[in-house]
Amino acid sequence: MPTYTDIKPRELKPALFELDGISRASIEAHYRLYQGYVGKRNEILARLEALDRTGANQVYSDLRALKVELSFAVGGIKNHELYFAHLGGEGGEPTGAIDGLIRRDFGSVAAWREDLKATGMASRGWAWTAYDWDEHRLFNYIGDAQNTYPVWNATPLVALDTYEHAYFLDFQTDRGAYIDAFFANLDWDVVNGWVAAYSIPTA
Ligand SMILES: [Fe+2]
């Protein structure tokens, strides 16, 4: 009896195919990468199920290899589910609770946008605006691969994919223009839904 359950890729909202500046072809290719992360997560968990634990070793072992790459697959799933979920909106100025949080913790929306864009320009994979439950504030964290530098006890609310696969088709090497397009397609209602769902304090 397996102790895990296979998961399926979440479907894309139709709005993802009509983004401003990010093409349908780019989103479709990007979605196939996400499907790959889901498939590998299921495959790795099935292999772990059957693995003999006695050979575990920090230098090399099947257990180590599978668990390291599981973190890459699961990171790829979680990062992309955030990314796809909060695109398809009108961008512009944030609204509601997230607007207040951004102004409180960054001083202004412009300062938040400038810092997230800079963090994205400095990253090799991801930049996240996360609510850090220990520091009681938003912060723009950096990530390189799918599984590098997420921090414990922080909830990502904006997930900016800066892997080349996210923009090369539409912007070639102009990552800055892609990041501007990312901002222009954010759905603030989705982000505010996460603020409410996770009961992030707004006072
Ligand atoms: Fe991606």
Side-chain angles (χ1 to χ4, degrees), residues 88-108:
E90 299 297 318
E93 296 302 297
T95 57
I98 190 65
D99 178 52
L101 288 169
I102 286 174
R103 289 175 193 276
R104 183 192 70 187
D105 295 341
F106 289 92
S108 67

Side-chain angles (χ1 to χ4, degrees), residues 25-187:
S26 183
I27 290 293
E28 286 177 340
H30 206 163
Y31 185 73
R32 286 193 292 275
L33 294 176
Y34 160 67
Q35 290 175 305
Y37 296 124
V38 172
K40 284 298 179 186
R41 176 263 186 203
N42 293 339
E43 180 185 335
I44 291 168
L45 286 177
R47 289 192 59 187
L48 279 169
E49 189 81 12
L51 192 74
D52 176 4
R53 263 64 180 166
T54 60
N57 181 284
Q58 65 167 339
V59 179
Y60 166 74
S61 60
D62 289 344
L63 185 77
R64 177 181 167 78
L66 289 167
K67 289 223 170 179
V68 168
E69 303 315 340
L70 179 66
S71 74
F72 194 91
V74 170
I77 293 166
K78 292 177 185 284
N79 288 328
H80 286 97
E81 287 181 350
L82 291 169
Y83 179 80
F84 291 133
H86 71 0
L87 290 179
E90 299 297 318
E93 296 302 297
T95 57
I98 190 65
D99 178 52
L101 288 169
I102 286 174
R103 289 175 193 276
R104 183 192 70 187
D105 295 341
F106 289 92
S108 67
V109 173
W112 162 77
R113 195 181 282 118
E114 181 184 28
D115 186 67
L116 184 60
K117 184 172 182 177
T119 305
M121 294 301 292
S123 85
R124 299 171 186 162
W126 288 92
W128 303 280
T129 300
Y131 180 76
D132 189 312
W133 291 88
D134 298 310
E135 300 207 6
H136 312 290
R137 64 165 178 145
L138 298 178
F139 188 79
N140 291 329
Y141 284 107
I142 196 169
D144 278 352
Q146 305 296 348
N147 56 350
T148 46
Y149 318 135
V151 295
W152 296 122
N153 213 22
T155 301
L157 296 169
V158 178
L160 168 58
D161 192 340
T162 61
Y163 270 94
E164 278 83 359
H165 67 238
Y167 61 86
F168 204 86
L169 197 59
D170 297 321
F171 298 96
Q172 297 184 0
T173 57
D174 191 352
R175 184 188 293 187
Y178 156 73
I179 293 175
D180 291 342
F182 170 85
F183 285 128
N185 288 284
L186 274 177
D187 187 335

